Amino acid sequence: MSGEGGMGRESNGRGRGAPTSEAVINALPLPVLTIGADERILHCNHAAESFFDHSARLMQRRRLRDIIPFASPIIALVAEVRRRRASVSEYRVELTQPRSGQERSVDVFATPLGDEGEAVVLMLQERTIADKMNRQLTHRGAARSMIALGAMLAHEIKNPLAGIRGAAQLLEQSGAEEDRVLTRLICDESDRIVRIVERMELFGDERPVERGPVNVHGVLDQVKRSAQSGFARHIRFVENYDPSLPPVLGNRDQLIQVILNLVKNAAEAIGADTVDGEITLSTAFRTGLRLQIPGSRERVSLPIEVAVRDNGPGVTAELLPDLFDPFVTTKTQGSGLGLALVAKIVGDHGGIVECDPVPRRTTFRLLLPMSSARDGRESVVEAE
């Protein structure tokens, strides 16, 4: 009797407190699908519903090839799992969703379900977050290399350029009229080199910057007013703000510099002769992304998203991997230092900058930390 009672208590204890297997699968942040022998979708979790933008009820009435392209390697991967009756993984699979046309890069993990091996469980992991982390570390490394380079150039180039410019001015005073065109060119190009070197010196500025709670909507409004009164007066601005967004932990002047640079790049990408140019400024609160601070075990949450989107031609695939590196530009008169400086400032804030290079809706996205009070409560900053 005592043995039976003990067994009963153990079973009841597990039944009351343990979650069901379906609850566990639904709690996973990664999309999980169960594919039957006839390629029908037998089950999907909540993350899969969100990923494919279909309800579970609708998904279960469809086959795998209805939600992914017919020639996708995922279909061959499922067949290989059945053939080998063993788990198979594939990394960096390009997945285009038929419904939205959105392209995503995913890692795919497939395993047989049960001894028969007819049903296959698929788990997808989007590469976006992992790639963001890797690229952010690369951008920070590039910015650190610019510190030493900027200091060296400031010393080794600016002094000789001053002498060259002075000599050109003396020649201009005594030279013929046709020669003054050349001396003026020497002065103008010398000044342009000095401006490039001075911008590079900003990478070597390691002085601590005062940071505090910043209303990012106030920053966006100031950038918008500045752009509309100058280089973007021919462009329509669209605002899509989250009014409940908490303040960013940052430096207001530096954040203005970052967003103004992104808006200026967007305006130049649209072009001065475009009649339907549009720049969208948006903010949102995102949960779940945490970045480890280099040299520390501390992980910082980056819930605040600020995005600048334009309807220009987009960024070429060849340029994208090096977009935030110094001297990378497609502009004939550009220095290629603007986005490198953006990456440095955002990195100094402990954040991430990323580009989604889709033509007609290219988006530069900032993910930034939220400002909190010393007691852990959310900071409050007055609207500006």
Side-chain angles (χ1 to χ4, degrees), residues 182-230:
L182 297 177
T183 56
R184 175 48 46 192
L185 177 62
I186 294 173
C187 291
D188 291 343
E189 289 301 297
S190 297
D191 290 342
R192 188 169 71 88
I193 295 173
V194 169
R195 288 195 296 270
I196 292 175
V197 173
E198 287 176 345
R199 292 190 70 186
M200 291 181 65
E201 284 185 285
L202 295 174
F203 288 92
D205 189 357
E206 294 297 308
R207 293 173 296 178
V209 177
E210 182 179 353
R211 294 188 175 93
V214 177
N215 182 347
V216 74
H217 295 142
V219 170
L220 290 169
D221 288 342
Q222 180 168 335
V223 169
K224 176 188 168 186
R225 287 195 300 268
S226 176
Q228 287 181 319
S229 64

Side-chain angles (χ1 to χ4, degrees), residues 3 17 26 30 40 51 67 117 124 162 173 181 184 189 234 240 243 246 267 273 295 358 381 383:
N26 282 327
L30 303 179
R40 288 201 175 275
F51 184 86
I67 63 170
L124 309 179
Q173 294 174 3
V181 176
R184 175 48 46 192
E189 289 301 297
H234 63 294
N240 185 14
D273 300 327
V358 182
V381 62

Side-chain angles (χ1 to χ4, degrees), residues 140 211-214 246-250 255 285 289 291 300-305 345-352 366-372:
R140 288 177 179 174
R211 294 188 175 93
V214 177
V248 171
L249 177 62
L255 291 175
F285 191 86
L289 180 59
L291 180 66
V300 177
S301 179
L302 305 175
I304 298 180
E305 177 183 293
I345 293 175
V346 173
D348 289 344
H349 278 69
I352 286 176
L366 309 178
L367 300 175
L368 298 166
M370 178 180 66
S371 178
S372 300

